[in-house]
Amino acid sequence: MASEYSPGLEGVMAGISGISEVDPIQNTLIYRGYDARELVEKCSFEEVAYLVLYGDLPTHTEYDAFTSRIKAQRDVPSSIYDLYRSFDNSAHPMDTLKAAVAVLAAQAKNASDISESASLAAAESLLAKIPTLVVNGYRVTHGDAPRPPSKELDHNQNFFYMLTGGEPNPMFNKALNATQILYIEHGFNASTFSSRVTVSTLADLYCGVVSAIGTLKGPLHGGANEHAMAMLLEIGTPERAEAWVDDALTNKKKIMGFGHREYKKGDSRAVIVKKHVQELSDALGNRKWIEISDIVEAKMLAAKNLYPNVDFPVASTYYLMDIPVELYTPMFVMSRVVGWSANIIEQLANNRIFRPQSEYNGPHDKKVTPLAARV
Ligand code: COA
């Protein structure tokens, strides 16, 4: 049964899901019935990860068991670091991460098991190990020794500890908690959709996550956060911002961190993250990035009626916390692996293979000239 072609599948309903609801009219994001704004205010990353994976917020006992399981699984085999050392220096961290997750799959005993219990176990293992791969991937490819992950610290504290070896700053933890919660899940975005397409063939969770990492890398999706920071750095000063945007728009360039397929009146996640940029800028006495951002925002609204999406304020948040720009997109994976996993498990529970149609617009009736006669 043919249906009308919609470029980019805009407006096409491709599935039914009970995991998250993106409401562009109300400008809200709901995870399993809870407003993401309230989750950011009241919950830790681990509580929300549990909610998205298991369907509701954990009890105290469930929370303790879940966080203990995650902390205990943070180590990765040292052979993965040998692999990192073999990579080209210019390798993008999303490519090294994608390779490392594929290796974890090949080293796992039952990676091909697509039962719900095996998928949940694989999801927890990846949730525990991906921050280790992200930070130690960066360390090893920059000539530093891998730092063993903490077995006590929570998700956010452990990330800062692994990166700096020092005491985590409470204000940084709060900001990272917000961005990591808000990155967990977001409807049928491109990477989530690709993970669902992959497992709809009855491939396993690892395959779905590897597909999704590749999809997230692109600048129109998760790669937008590091590209947004590259843009802010290139603009450099508030005085240059307006002319820079004018010039970019005249040259038909896309401004990274702006626009969204679903949200047309602003991204509720961006509003929350911007508060953290403000708080960090004031506390650190560095208002440069927020001043440039405000000018870019005003200009984009006036010129294109486009609002910033979550990746725009995330870029300044991470930069103010001294996190290397090349880690911004891999840090998205540290969180979104939860959403991908929940979607993969939901897809497998009620599966039908994704197989849409394409309309052929190539030539017909060509005749084969033998190779020897072809010039
Ligand atoms: N900068 C400049 N113009 C933009 C823009 C941006 N960031 N985002 C959209 N537009 C313009 C397009 O050029 C197009 O204009 P036109 O109709 O005059 O040709 C119009 O807005 C519609 O954009 P389109 O790319 O077709 O929308 P989409 O729904 O297919 O794409 C995004 C959505 C998010 C991919 C797109 O807005 C984008 O590329 N944003 C920048 C990357 C980004 O921040 N991604 C992270 C998303 S969370």
Side-chain angles (χ1 to χ4, degrees), residues 54-349:
Y54 287 94
D56 212 337
L57 286 166
T59 62
H60 217 295
T61 313
E62 286 165 341
Y63 179 78
D64 286 347
F66 178 65
T67 51
S68 301
R69 291 198 298 276
I70 299 296
K71 288 172 185 171
Q73 295 186 78
R74 283 180 174 155
D75 284 322
V76 301
S78 61
S79 57
I80 289 202
Y81 300 135
D82 295 332
L83 184 71
Y84 276 137
R85 288 184 194 98
S86 76
F87 290 150
D88 191 88
N89 282 344
S90 65
H92 191 283
M94 287 294 276
D95 291 327
T96 59
L97 182 59
K98 178 157 48 68
V101 171
V103 170
L104 289 180
Q107 290 177 340
K109 286 212 163 36
N110 55 351
S112 306
D113 187 342
I114 58 168
S115 66
E116 185 175 323
S117 58
S119 300
L120 280 166
E124 289 192 1
S125 174
L126 289 178
L127 175 58
K129 291 178 175 62
I130 284 175
T132 310
L133 295 173
V134 169
V135 184
N136 279 339
Y138 177 81
R139 291 180 61 78
V140 170
T141 50
H142 286 77
D144 294 322
R147 179 173 280 130
S150 160
K151 296 288 160 56
E152 281 89 39
L153 296 173
D154 69 20
H155 174 82
N156 303 310
Q157 293 168 327
N158 176 54
F159 173 79
F160 283 119
Y161 162 72
M162 288 197 68
L163 195 62
T164 66
E167 280 285 311
N169 171 329
M171 198 192 352
F172 289 10
N173 275 338
K174 200 170 126 205
L176 186 62
N177 196 54
T179 62
Q180 289 283 290
I181 288 176
L182 293 170
Y183 267 154
I184 283 183
E185 158 68 4
H186 205 231
F188 270 30
N189 58 85
S191 58
T192 297
F193 188 53
S194 81
S195 75
R196 290 187 82 127
V197 171
T198 298
V199 303
S200 80
T201 66
L202 300 186
D204 53 77
L205 185 135
Y206 285 99
C207 293
V209 170
V210 170
S211 294
I213 294 174
T215 311
L216 190 74
K217 180 187 174 191
L220 298 189
H221 191 11
N225 58 15
E226 62 181 75
H227 286 268
M229 195 63 228
M231 174 184 78
L232 292 174
L233 289 165
E234 194 181 317
I235 294 174
T237 64
E239 295 70 36
R240 282 167 44 89
E242 201 164 323
W244 194 98
V245 177
D246 269 336
D247 186 55
L249 291 179
T250 306
N251 289 303
K252 302 267 176 241
K253 273 198 205 153
K254 280 211 162 163
I255 309 295
M256 291 297 131
F258 281 81
H260 198 275
R261 172 65 62 75
E262 292 283 298
Y263 298 115
K264 298 302 175 201
K265 293 217 160 19
D267 177 336
S268 58
R269 302 168 300 171
V271 178
I272 303 172
V273 178
K274 192 170 173 186
K275 287 194 191 129
H276 289 279
V277 183
Q278 260 148 358
E279 205 177 301
L280 287 164
S281 304
D282 290 341
L284 298 167
N286 177 3
R287 295 197 45 84
K288 178 166 141 178
W289 306 112
I290 196 148
E291 283 171 14
I292 298 177
S293 299
D294 283 346
I295 296 167
V296 175
E297 261 188 67
K299 188 78 204 161
M300 286 299 284
L301 194 57
K304 300 284 292 181
N305 197 27
L306 288 173
Y307 290 81
N309 57 56
V310 66
D311 292 312
F312 190 61
V314 161
S316 310
T317 308
Y318 288 174
Y319 199 79
L320 285 163
M321 299 196 294
D322 256 341
I323 298 171
V325 178
E326 65 199 271
L327 292 188
Y328 296 3
T329 314
M331 287 170 71
F332 198 153
V333 179
M334 290 176 2
S335 159
R336 186 57 64 86
V337 67
V338 174
W340 294 333
S341 300
N343 274 275
I344 286 168
I345 291 164
E346 185 178 65
Q347 178 67 36
L348 288 171

